[in-house]
Amino acid sequence: MAVSDHVDLPTFMEGVKKRNPYQPEFVQAVQEVAEDIFDFIEDKEEYHAQQILRRIAEPDRVVSFRVCWEDDNGNVRVQRGWRVQNNNAIGPYKGGIRFHPSVNESVLKFLAFEQTFKNALTGLPMGGGKGGSNFNPKGKSVREIMRFCQSFMTELYRHIGADVDVPAGDIGVGGREIGYMFGQYKRITNHFTGVLTGKGLEWGGSLIRTEATGYGAVYFLANMLATKGEDLRGKTAVISGSGNVATHAAEKIVQLGGKVLTLSDSGGFIHDPDGIDQEKIDWVKTHKTHRRGRIEEYVDAFPGASFHAGKTPWGVPCDVALPCATQNELLGEDARTLIANGCKGVAEGANMPTDLEGVHVFKAARILYAPGKASNAGGVAVSGLEMSQNSERRSWKEHELQQMLKDIMAGIHKSCLTYGDQGGGYIDYVKGANIAGFKKVADAMLAFGVV
Ligand code: GLU
C-alpha cells in the first residue's frame, strides 16, 4: 500500500488547508464534498489508491494575468484576471466568468471545483472551470466595460476554445459583456465558434439560457416537494438577490402558483407582503438591468412593501427559501431561523450560498435542502445545449429546450435520490449530489490512468 493511501478526513483536510493557505472559500467547498466522499469511498480501494479526490481538488491549472484598460478620464487602470481550469475528465472545461471586487483565487477555485460536480450532474459532457476578475462594473460607463472586456479577452483567448474551455456569464457578466468578449475573440482569432455561451440569439445563443438557472432551481424545488406529495401552489417563498437568477426563480414560483415575498441586493432586502407578481418582477428586471438601480427603490414604486437596509431576508417566515445572491449569504443562525419559522424546502440558486454550519443545520433538521451544484445546474445545462446547437449549426425551438431543461433537472433529482436516500423519508441531497457528481468524474479519471 502506498504511503498516502487511506488517510482519514481530518488529515486529508489538513493537507488541503496547508496547500491552499488564505483560501477559505476553496477549503470550505472541498470540505463539504469530502465529508460525503470519504464515507462513499471507504470500501472502494481503487479511488483511494488512485488519489482521485486529492486530484479533483487540485486544479489542472490556474492562469492568472494582468488586465490593463483605460478609463473615460484617460487613466490607466490595472486589474487581475484568472481562469481556473479545474478538471476536464468528462468534457471541455466549462463555467462562468465573474466580475466583482470580491473575486480572488480562492473564490474562483471554489467555483471551478463546484462546477466540476455540477456539470457532471447535468449528464452533459462538460468539465469544470471558472474565471473572472476583481474588476467592479458598478459605476462604470458602457464604454469602460467594453474596453475592460476586450482587454480581458486579449489574454483569455489563448487559453480557451470550443473544444478546450467554454466560459459563460456569472455575477457581473451578462449578455452585454459576453457580446464584447465574443466580439474580441472573433476579431483576434477570426474564428466564429461556440467558444462562449450565453450569447445573443442573433449570433449563436440559445433560447431560454437567460431564464434557465432560476427556472431550473424552481423545477428542482418542485421535484423535491413532490417526494412529499406537495407542490408550490399557495406556498410563500423568500428569495435573495435581484439579478438574473433571482428574478427568473421568482417568475417560475409565481407561474407555479406560489407567492414571492422578498428580493434583495447588497444594500438590503425588500419585503412585499402582497406578493411580488409578474408585473413587479418585470419592473425589477428593468430597474436592475437597464436602469442599474437599487432594490430599495422598489418601495417607491410599490408602497405596500418595506425596505430593510443591510439585512438578509431569512427572518421572514416562509414555506420555501431560495438563496440566489452569492456565496456564504445564509449562515448557521439564518438556517436555524428559517427552520424555526417553518421553512420546509431550500433550493440554492447561487453557488455555495449556505455556509458549512448552515449546511449542517439543514441536514440535521432533515428538511428538503438542495445544494447549488444540484439545484442551480439548469443554467450550465442550457449552456451545454447551446454548445450542442453551435456544433450542429442549428437552433432548437423554445418548447424543445423547456422540455430538455425540465428533464435534466428531473434527472439530477433522480441522481440525488440514488445516493442520498437515507431511509425513513429523508433524502440527503448534498450527499446525493456530491457522490453522483464525484462518481462520474472519478470513473473517467480511473480510465485515464495517472495523468
Ligand atoms: N455561472 C453559471 C454557473 O455557476 C453558468 C456557467 C455556464 O453556463 O457555463 O453555473
Side-chain angles (χ1 to χ4, degrees), residues 94-96 115 118 130 166-170 197 209 351 376 379-380 383:
K94 179 88 197 83
Q115 198 84 44
K118 183 196 310 194
K130 204 86 184 191
V166 183
D170 196 82
T197 60
R209 174 62 191 87
N351 291 313
N376 77 30
V380 76
S383 276

Side-chain angles (χ1 to χ4, degrees), residues 196-253:
L196 295 171
T197 60
K199 300 187 291 299
L201 295 178
E202 307 79 7
W203 39 281
S206 174
L207 286 163
I208 80 158
R209 174 62 191 87
T210 314
E211 297 86 348
T213 314
Y215 280 16
V218 177
Y219 290 145
F220 197 92
L221 181 57
N223 275 297
M224 292 202 294
L225 289 169
T227 65
K228 304 272 180 210
E230 292 189 40
D231 60 30
L232 279 158
R233 268 175 299 182
K235 298 254 181 333
T236 50
V238 158
I239 300 181
S240 65
S242 47
N244 185 44
V245 181
T247 52
H248 289 104
E251 194 165 289
K252 189 51 76 179
I253 293 269

Side-chain angles (χ1 to χ4, degrees), residues 18 60 122 136 184 195 244:
K18 214 161 93 195
D60 288 355
T122 65
N136 186 0
Q184 184 73 349
V195 67
N244 185 44

